[in-house]
Coordinates of all heavy atoms in Angstrom, one line a residue:
N1 N 0.8 -1.2 0.0 CA 0.0 0.0 0.0 C 0.9 1.3 0.0 O 1.5 1.6 1.0 CB -0.9 0.0 1.2 CG -2.4 0.1 0.9 OD1 -2.7 0.0 -0.3 ND2 -3.2 0.3 1.9
A2 N 0.9 1.9 -1.1 CA 1.8 3.1 -1.2 C 1.0 4.3 -0.7 O -0.2 4.5 -1.0 CB 2.2 3.3 -2.7
I3 N 1.7 5.2 0.0 CA 1.2 6.4 0.5 C 1.2 7.5 -0.7 O 2.3 7.6 -1.3 CB 1.9 6.9 1.7 CG1 1.8 5.9 2.8 CG2 1.4 8.3 2.2 CD1 2.6 6.2 4.1
S4 N 0.2 8.2 -0.9 CA 0.1 9.2 -2.0 C 1.1 10.3 -1.7 O 1.4 10.6 -0.5 CB -1.3 9.7 -2.2 OG -1.6 10.6 -1.1
L5 N 1.5 11.0 -2.8 CA 2.4 12.1 -2.6 C 1.8 13.2 -1.8 O 2.4 13.8 -0.9 CB 2.8 12.7 -4.0 CG 3.7 13.8 -4.1 CD1 5.1 13.5 -3.4 CD2 3.9 14.3 -5.5
E6 N 0.5 13.4 -2.0 CA -0.2 14.4 -1.1 C -0.2 14.1 0.3 O 0.1 14.9 1.2 CB -1.7 14.6 -1.6 CG -2.4 15.7 -0.9 CD -3.8 16.0 -1.4 OE1 -4.4 15.1 -2.0 OE2 -4.3 17.1 -1.2
D7 N -0.5 12.8 0.6 CA -0.5 12.4 2.0 C 0.9 12.5 2.7 O 1.1 12.9 3.8 CB -1.0 10.9 2.2 CG -2.5 10.9 2.0 OD1 -3.2 11.9 2.2 OD2 -3.0 9.8 1.7
R8 N 1.9 12.1 1.9 CA 3.3 12.3 2.4 C 3.6 13.8 2.7 O 4.3 14.1 3.7 CB 4.3 11.7 1.4 CG 4.3 10.2 1.4 CD 5.4 9.6 0.5 NE 5.2 10.0 -0.9 CZ 5.9 9.7 -1.9 NH1 7.0 8.9 -1.7 NH2 5.6 10.0 -3.1
G9 N 3.2 14.6 1.8 CA 3.4 16.1 2.0 C 2.7 16.6 3.2 O 3.2 17.3 4.0
L10 N 1.4 16.2 3.4 CA 0.6 16.5 4.6 C 1.3 16.0 5.9 O 1.4 16.7 6.9 CB -0.8 16.1 4.5 CG -1.7 16.8 3.5 CD1 -3.0 16.1 3.3 CD2 -1.9 18.2 3.9
N11 N 1.8 14.8 5.8 CA 2.5 14.2 7.0 C 3.7 15.1 7.3 O 4.0 15.4 8.5 CB 2.9 12.8 6.7 CG 1.8 11.8 6.8 OD1 0.7 12.1 7.3 ND2 1.9 10.7 6.1
E12 N 4.5 15.5 6.3 CA 5.7 16.3 6.5 C 5.3 17.7 7.1 O 5.9 18.2 8.0 CB 6.5 16.5 5.2 CG 7.8 17.2 5.4 CD 8.7 16.4 6.4 OE1 8.7 15.2 6.5 OE2 9.5 17.1 7.1
I13 N 4.2 18.3 6.6 CA 3.8 19.6 7.1 C 3.4 19.5 8.6 O 3.7 20.3 9.4 CB 2.6 20.2 6.3 CG1 3.1 20.6 4.9 CG2 1.9 21.3 7.0 CD1 2.0 20.9 3.9
N14 N 2.6 18.4 8.9 CA 2.2 18.2 10.3 C 3.4 17.9 11.2 O 3.4 18.4 12.3 CB 1.2 17.0 10.4 CG -0.1 17.4 9.8 OD1 -0.6 18.6 10.1 ND2 -0.8 16.5 9.1
R15 N 4.4 17.2 10.7 CA 5.7 17.0 11.5 C 6.3 18.4 11.8 O 6.8 18.6 12.9 CB 6.6 16.1 10.8 CG 6.4 14.6 11.1 CD 7.6 13.8 10.7 NE 7.7 13.7 9.2 CZ 7.0 12.8 8.5 NH1 6.2 12.0 9.0 NH2 7.2 12.8 7.2
W16 N 6.4 19.2 10.8 CA 7.1 20.5 10.9 C 6.3 21.4 11.9 O 6.9 22.0 12.8 CB 7.2 21.2 9.6 CG 8.0 22.5 9.7 CD1 9.3 22.7 9.7 CD2 7.4 23.8 9.8 NE1 9.6 24.0 9.9 CE2 8.4 24.7 9.9 CE3 6.1 24.3 9.8 CZ2 8.2 26.1 10.0 CZ3 5.9 25.6 10.0 CH2 6.9 26.5 10.1
L17 N 5.0 21.4 11.8 CA 4.1 22.2 12.7 C 4.3 21.7 14.1 O 4.4 22.6 15.0 CB 2.7 22.1 12.3 CG 2.3 22.8 11.0 CD1 0.8 22.5 10.6 CD2 2.4 24.3 11.2
S18 N 4.4 20.4 14.3 CA 4.6 19.9 15.7 C 6.0 20.4 16.2 O 6.2 20.7 17.3 CB 4.5 18.4 15.6 OG 4.8 17.9 16.9
K19 N 7.0 20.3 15.3 CA 8.4 20.7 15.7 C 8.5 22.2 16.1 O 9.2 22.5 17.1 CB 9.3 20.5 14.5 CG 10.8 20.9 14.8 CD 11.6 20.7 13.5 CE 12.3 22.0 13.2 NZ 13.0 22.1 12.0
V20 N 7.7 23.1 15.5 CA 7.7 24.5 15.9 C 6.8 24.8 17.0 O 6.7 26.0 17.4 CB 7.5 25.4 14.7 CG1 8.5 25.2 13.6 CG2 6.1 25.3 14.1
G21 N 6.0 23.8 17.5 CA 5.2 24.0 18.7 C 3.7 24.2 18.5 O 3.0 24.6 19.4
V22 N 3.2 23.8 17.3 CA 1.8 23.9 17.0 C 1.1 22.6 17.5 O 1.5 21.6 17.0 CB 1.5 24.2 15.5 CG1 0.0 24.2 15.3 CG2 2.1 25.5 15.1
P23 N 0.2 22.7 18.5 CA -0.5 21.5 18.9 C -1.3 20.9 17.7 O -1.9 21.6 16.9 CB -1.4 21.9 20.0 CG -0.8 23.2 20.5 CD -0.2 23.8 19.3
G24 N -1.3 19.5 17.6 CA -2.0 18.9 16.5 C -3.4 19.2 16.3 O -3.9 19.3 15.2
H25 N -4.1 19.5 17.4 CA -5.6 19.8 17.2 C -5.8 21.3 16.7 O -6.9 21.6 16.5 CB -6.3 19.6 18.6 CG -5.9 20.5 19.6 ND1 -4.7 20.3 20.4 CD2 -6.4 21.7 20.1 CE1 -4.6 21.3 21.3 NE2 -5.6 22.1 21.1
E26 N -4.7 22.1 16.6 CA -4.9 23.5 16.2 C -4.6 23.7 14.7 O -4.8 24.8 14.2 CB -4.0 24.4 17.1 CG -4.5 24.4 18.5 CD -4.1 25.6 19.3 OE1 -3.7 26.6 18.7 OE2 -4.1 25.5 20.5
A27 N -4.2 22.6 14.0 CA -4.0 22.7 12.6 C -4.4 21.4 12.0 O -3.7 20.4 12.0 CB -2.5 23.0 12.3
I28 N -5.6 21.4 11.4 CA -6.1 20.2 10.7 C -6.2 20.4 9.2 O -6.9 21.3 8.8 CB -7.5 19.9 11.3 CG1 -7.4 19.7 12.8 CG2 -8.1 18.7 10.6 CD1 -8.7 19.6 13.5
L29 N -5.4 19.7 8.5 CA -5.2 19.9 7.1 C -5.7 18.7 6.3 O -5.3 17.6 6.6 CB -3.7 20.2 6.8 CG -3.1 21.3 7.6 CD1 -1.6 21.4 7.3 CD2 -3.8 22.6 7.3
F30 N -6.5 19.0 5.2 CA -7.0 17.9 4.4 C -6.4 17.9 3.0 O -6.5 17.0 2.2 CB -8.5 18.0 4.3 CG -9.2 17.5 5.5 CD1 -9.5 18.3 6.6 CD2 -9.6 16.1 5.6 CE1 -10.1 17.8 7.7 CE2 -10.2 15.6 6.7 CZ -10.5 16.5 7.8
D31 N -5.8 19.1 2.6 CA -5.2 19.2 1.3 C -3.9 20.0 1.4 O -3.7 20.7 2.4 CB -6.2 19.8 0.3 CG -6.6 21.2 0.5 OD1 -6.0 21.8 1.5 OD2 -7.4 21.7 -0.2
G32 N -3.2 20.0 0.3 CA -1.9 20.7 0.3 C -2.0 22.1 -0.1 O -1.1 22.9 0.2
C33 N -3.1 22.5 -0.7 CA -3.2 23.9 -1.2 C -3.9 24.9 -0.2 O -3.8 26.1 -0.4 CB -3.9 23.9 -2.5 SG -5.6 23.6 -2.5
G34 N -4.6 24.3 0.8 CA -5.3 25.2 1.8 C -6.6 25.6 1.4 O -7.2 26.4 2.1
L35 N -7.2 25.1 0.3 CA -8.5 25.6 -0.1 C -9.7 24.7 0.3 O -10.8 25.0 0.2 CB -8.6 25.7 -1.6 CG -7.7 26.8 -2.2 CD1 -7.7 26.8 -3.7 CD2 -8.0 28.2 -1.6
S36 N -9.4 23.5 0.9 CA -10.4 22.6 1.4 C -11.2 23.3 2.5 O -10.6 23.9 3.4 CB -9.9 21.3 1.9 OG -10.9 20.5 2.5
R37 N -12.5 23.3 2.5 CA -13.3 23.8 3.5 C -13.2 23.0 4.8 O -13.7 23.4 5.9 CB -14.7 24.0 3.1 CG -14.8 25.0 2.0 CD -16.2 25.4 1.6 NE -16.4 26.2 0.5 CZ -16.1 27.6 0.5 NH1 -15.8 28.1 1.6 NH2 -16.3 28.3 -0.6
K38 N -12.6 21.8 4.7 CA -12.4 21.0 5.9 C -11.1 21.4 6.7 O -10.9 21.0 7.8 CB -12.2 19.5 5.5 CG -13.5 19.0 4.9 CD -13.3 17.5 4.5 CE -14.5 16.9 3.8 NZ -14.3 15.6 3.4
N39 N -10.2 22.2 6.1 CA -9.0 22.7 6.8 C -9.4 23.6 7.9 O -10.4 24.3 7.8 CB -8.1 23.5 5.8 CG -7.4 22.6 4.8 OD1 -7.2 21.4 5.0 ND2 -7.1 23.2 3.7
S40 N -8.7 23.5 9.0 CA -8.9 24.3 10.2 C -7.6 24.7 10.8 O -6.8 23.8 11.2 CB -9.8 23.6 11.2 OG -10.0 24.3 12.3
V41 N -7.3 26.0 10.9 CA -6.1 26.4 11.5 C -6.4 27.5 12.5 O -7.1 28.5 12.2 CB -5.1 27.0 10.5 CG1 -3.8 27.5 11.1 CG2 -4.8 25.9 9.4
S42 N -6.1 27.3 13.8 CA -6.4 28.3 14.8 C -5.6 29.6 14.7 O -4.4 29.5 14.2 CB -6.3 27.7 16.2 OG -4.9 27.6 16.5
P43 N -6.0 30.7 15.3 CA -5.2 31.9 15.3 C -3.9 31.6 16.1 O -2.9 32.1 15.7 CB -6.1 32.9 16.0 CG -7.5 32.4 15.7 CD -7.4 30.9 15.7
H44 N -4.0 30.8 17.2 CA -2.8 30.5 17.9 C -1.8 29.8 17.1 O -0.6 30.0 17.2 CB -3.2 29.6 19.2 CG -2.0 29.3 20.0 ND1 -1.4 28.0 19.9 CD2 -1.3 29.9 20.9 CE1 -0.4 27.9 20.7 NE2 -0.3 29.1 21.3
A45 N -2.2 28.8 16.2 CA -1.3 28.1 15.3 C -0.6 29.1 14.4 O 0.6 29.0 14.2 CB -2.1 27.0 14.6
L46 N -1.4 30.0 13.8 CA -0.8 31.0 12.9 C 0.2 31.8 13.6 O 1.3 32.1 13.1 CB -1.9 31.8 12.2 CG -2.8 31.1 11.2 CD1 -3.9 32.0 10.8 CD2 -2.0 30.6 10.0
N47 N -0.1 32.3 14.8 CA 0.8 33.1 15.6 C 2.1 32.3 15.9 O 3.2 32.9 15.9 CB 0.1 33.6 16.8 CG 0.9 34.7 17.5 OD1 1.4 35.6 16.9 ND2 0.9 34.6 18.9
T48 N 1.9 31.1 16.3 CA 3.1 30.3 16.6 C 4.0 30.1 15.4 O 5.2 30.3 15.5 CB 2.7 28.9 17.1 OG1 1.8 29.0 18.3 CG2 3.8 28.0 17.5
V49 N 3.5 29.9 14.2 CA 4.3 29.8 13.0 C 5.0 31.1 12.7 O 6.2 31.2 12.4 CB 3.4 29.3 11.8 CG1 4.2 29.5 10.5 CG2 3.0 27.9 12.0
M50 N 4.2 32.2 12.8 CA 4.8 33.5 12.5 C 5.9 33.9 13.5 O 7.0 34.4 13.1 CB 3.7 34.6 12.5 CG 2.8 34.5 11.4 SD 3.5 34.7 9.8 CE 3.9 36.4 9.8
K51 N 5.7 33.5 14.8 CA 6.7 33.8 15.8 C 8.0 32.9 15.5 O 9.1 33.4 15.6 CB 6.2 33.4 17.2 CG 7.2 33.7 18.3 CD 6.6 33.3 19.6 CE 7.6 33.5 20.7 NZ 7.0 33.1 22.0
Y52 N 7.8 31.7 15.1 CA 9.0 30.8 14.7 C 9.7 31.4 13.5 O 10.9 31.5 13.5 CB 8.5 29.4 14.4 CG 9.6 28.5 13.9 CD1 10.4 27.9 14.8 CD2 9.8 28.3 12.6 CE1 11.4 27.1 14.3 CE2 10.8 27.5 12.1 CZ 11.6 26.9 13.0 OH 12.6 26.1 12.5
M53 N 8.9 31.8 12.5 CA 9.5 32.3 11.3 C 10.3 33.7 11.5 O 11.2 34.0 10.8 CB 8.5 32.5 10.2 CG 7.8 31.2 9.8 SD 8.9 30.0 9.0 CE 9.1 30.7 7.4
A54 N 9.8 34.4 12.5 CA 10.5 35.7 12.8 C 11.8 35.5 13.5 O 12.7 36.4 13.4 CB 9.6 36.6 13.7
G55 N 12.0 34.4 14.1 CA 13.3 34.1 14.8 C 13.4 34.7 16.2 O 12.5 35.6 16.5
P56 N 14.4 34.3 16.9 CA 14.5 34.8 18.3 C 14.7 36.3 18.4 O 14.3 36.9 19.4 CB 15.7 34.1 18.8 CG 16.4 33.4 17.7 CD 15.4 33.4 16.5
S57 N 15.3 36.9 17.4 CA 15.5 38.4 17.4 C 14.4 39.2 16.7 O 14.6 40.4 16.5 CB 16.9 38.7 16.9 OG 16.9 38.4 15.5
V58 N 13.4 38.5 16.2 CA 12.3 39.0 15.4 C 12.9 39.8 14.2 O 12.4 40.9 13.8 CB 11.4 39.9 16.3 CG1 10.1 40.3 15.5 CG2 11.0 39.3 17.6
A59 N 13.9 39.2 13.6 CA 14.5 39.8 12.4 C 14.8 38.7 11.4 O 15.7 38.8 10.6 CB 15.8 40.5 12.8
G60 N 14.0 37.6 11.4 CA 14.3 36.5 10.5 C 14.1 36.9 9.1 O 13.4 37.8 8.7
P61 N 14.8 36.1 8.2 CA 14.7 36.5 6.8 C 13.3 36.4 6.2 O 13.0 37.1 5.2 CB 15.7 35.5 6.1 CG 15.9 34.4 7.1 CD 15.6 35.0 8.5
Y62 N 12.5 35.6 6.8 CA 11.1 35.5 6.3 C 10.4 36.9 6.3 O 9.6 37.2 5.4 CB 10.3 34.5 7.1 CG 8.8 34.4 6.8 CD1 8.4 33.8 5.6 CD2 7.9 35.0 7.6 CE1 7.1 33.8 5.3 CE2 6.5 34.9 7.3 CZ 6.1 34.3 6.1 OH 4.8 34.3 5.8
L63 N 10.6 37.7 7.4 CA 10.0 39.0 7.5 C 10.4 39.9 6.4 O 9.7 40.8 6.0 CB 10.3 39.6 8.9 CG 9.7 38.9 10.0 CD1 10.1 39.5 11.4 CD2 8.2 38.8 9.9
A64 N 11.6 39.7 5.9 CA 12.1 40.6 4.8 C 11.3 40.4 3.5 O 11.1 41.3 2.7 CB 13.6 40.3 4.5
L65 N 10.7 39.2 3.4 CA 9.8 38.9 2.2 C 8.5 39.7 2.3 O 7.9 40.0 1.3 CB 9.5 37.4 2.1 CG 10.7 36.5 1.9 CD1 10.2 35.0 2.0 CD2 11.3 36.7 0.6
L66 N 8.1 40.0 3.5 CA 6.8 40.7 3.7 C 7.0 42.3 3.7 O 6.1 43.0 3.5 CB 6.2 40.4 5.1 CG 5.8 38.9 5.2 CD1 5.3 38.7 6.6 CD2 4.8 38.5 4.2
R67 N 8.3 42.7 3.8 CA 8.5 44.2 3.8 C 8.4 44.7 2.4 O 8.8 44.1 1.5 CB 9.9 44.5 4.4 CG 10.0 44.2 5.9 CD 11.2 44.8 6.5 NE 11.1 44.6 7.9 CZ 11.8 43.6 8.5 NH1 12.6 42.8 7.8 NH2 11.7 43.4 9.8
G68 N 7.8 45.9 2.4 CA 7.6 46.5 1.1 C 8.8 47.4 0.7 O 8.5 48.6 0.3
G69 N 10.0 47.0 0.7 CA 11.1 47.8 0.4 C 11.6 48.7 1.5 O 11.6 48.3 2.7
E70 N 11.9 49.9 1.2 CA 12.5 50.8 2.2 C 11.4 51.4 3.2 O 11.7 51.8 4.3 CB 13.2 52.0 1.6 CG 14.4 51.5 0.7 CD 15.5 50.9 1.5 OE1 15.8 51.4 2.6 OE2 16.0 49.9 1.1
E71 N 10.2 51.4 2.8 CA 9.1 52.0 3.6 C 8.8 51.2 4.8 O 9.0 50.0 4.8 CB 7.9 52.3 2.7 CG 7.3 51.0 2.2 CD 6.5 51.2 1.0 OE1 6.9 51.9 0.0 OE2 5.4 50.6 0.9
A72 N 8.3 51.8 5.8 CA 7.9 51.1 7.0 C 6.7 50.2 6.8 O 5.9 50.5 6.0 CB 7.7 52.1 8.2
G73 N 6.6 49.2 7.6 CA 5.4 48.3 7.5 C 5.6 47.1 6.7 O 6.7 46.9 6.1
Y74 N 4.6 46.3 6.6 CA 4.7 45.0 5.9 C 3.6 45.0 4.8 O 2.5 45.6 5.0 CB 4.5 43.8 6.8 CG 5.6 43.7 7.8 CD1 5.5 44.2 9.1 CD2 6.8 43.1 7.5 CE1 6.6 44.1 10.0 CE2 7.8 42.9 8.4 CZ 7.7 43.5 9.6 OH 8.8 43.4 10.5
K75 N 3.8 44.2 3.8 CA 2.8 44.0 2.7 C 2.5 42.5 2.7 O 3.5 41.7 2.7 CB 3.3 44.4 1.4 CG 3.4 45.9 1.3 CD 3.9 46.4 0.0 CE 4.0 47.9 -0.1 NZ 4.3 48.4 -1.3
Y76 N 1.3 42.1 2.6 CA 1.0 40.7 2.6 C -0.4 40.5 1.9 O -1.2 41.4 1.9 CB 1.0 40.0 3.9 CG 0.4 40.8 5.0 CD1 -1.0 40.8 5.3 CD2 1.2 41.7 5.8 CE1 -1.5 41.6 6.3 CE2 0.6 42.5 6.8 CZ -0.7 42.4 7.0 OH -1.3 43.2 8.0
K77 N -0.7 39.3 1.5 CA -1.9 39.0 0.8 C -3.0 38.6 1.8 O -2.7 37.9 2.7 CB -1.7 37.8 -0.2 CG -2.9 37.3 -0.8 CD -3.4 38.1 -1.9 CE -4.6 37.5 -2.7 NZ -5.9 37.9 -2.2
T78 N -4.2 39.2 1.7 CA -5.3 38.8 2.5 C -6.5 38.5 1.6 O -6.4 38.8 0.4 CB -5.7 39.9 3.4 OG1 -6.1 41.1 2.7 CG2 -4.6 40.3 4.4
G79 N -7.5 37.9 2.1 CA -8.6 37.5 1.3 C -9.7 36.9 2.2 O -9.5 36.7 3.4
T80 N -10.8 36.5 1.6 CA -11.9 35.9 2.3 C -12.5 34.8 1.5 O -12.4 34.7 0.3 CB -13.0 36.9 2.6 OG1 -13.5 37.4 1.4 CG2 -12.5 38.1 3.5
M81 N -13.1 33.8 2.3 CA -13.9 32.8 1.7 C -15.1 32.6 2.6 O -15.0 32.7 3.8 CB -13.0 31.5 1.6 CG -11.9 31.5 0.6 SD -10.9 30.0 0.7 CE -12.1 28.7 0.2
D82 N -16.2 32.2 2.0 CA -17.4 32.0 2.8 C -17.2 30.6 3.5 O -16.6 29.7 3.0 CB -18.6 31.9 1.9 CG -19.0 33.3 1.3 OD1 -18.6 34.3 1.9 OD2 -19.6 33.3 0.3
T83 N -17.8 30.6 4.7 CA -17.9 29.4 5.5 C -16.5 28.7 5.8 O -16.4 27.5 5.8 CB -18.9 28.3 4.9 OG1 -18.3 27.8 3.7 CG2 -20.2 28.9 4.7
V84 N -15.5 29.5 6.0 CA -14.2 29.0 6.3 C -14.0 29.1 7.8 O -14.3 30.1 8.4 CB -13.1 29.8 5.6 CG1 -11.7 29.4 6.0 CG2 -13.3 29.7 4.1
R85 N -13.4 28.0 8.4 CA -13.1 28.0 9.8 C -11.7 28.4 10.0 O -10.8 28.0 9.3 CB -13.3 26.6 10.4 CG -14.7 26.1 10.3 CD -14.8 24.8 11.0 NE -14.1 23.7 10.3 CZ -13.5 22.7 10.9 NH1 -13.5 22.6 12.2 NH2 -12.8 21.8 10.3

């Protein structure tokens, strides 16, 4: 019984989330793209990932991707979907 590529990817994402401190019940993923309405990620889980990505000095390279050049502040994509948890 071979495990599908998608399931292997989801397993790896869940292992990484656990490694950075996200409790398993706070990030429930059914697909790799994040569009399944069955996906559920708590605000605490998102905050934990962002804190990890920022690094101990809150100057991690990930934050540079969100900065809009020389100007102050961050730029990032937002959006909405109906009936999303």
Side-chain angles (χ1 to χ4, degrees):
N1 236 9
I3 298 174
S4 73
L5 182 60
E6 183 176 27
D7 286 338
R8 287 186 295 181
L10 289 171
N11 288 338
E12 188 59 34
I13 290 170
N14 286 323
R15 273 194 289 278
W16 184 83
L17 289 170
S18 178
K19 180 183 126 186
V20 302
V22 175
H25 67 278
E26 293 202 20
I28 300 168
L29 306 174
F30 283 88
D31 66 3
C33 69
L35 294 177
S36 172
R37 295 189 187 280
K38 295 178 183 178
N39 289 334
S40 176
V41 180
S42 74
H44 179 260
L46 291 174
N47 191 42
T48 301
V49 168
M50 292 299 289
K51 182 178 176 184
Y52 175 83
M53 297 297 284
S57 64
V58 192
Y62 175 74
L63 293 177
L65 297 173
L66 299 176
R67 290 196 178 98
E70 299 295 318
E71 60 204 49
Y74 295 96
K75 294 183 179 182
Y76 42 87
K77 173 77 173 93
T78 62
T80 61
M81 290 176 63
D82 292 337
T83 67
V84 173
R85 296 185 294 145

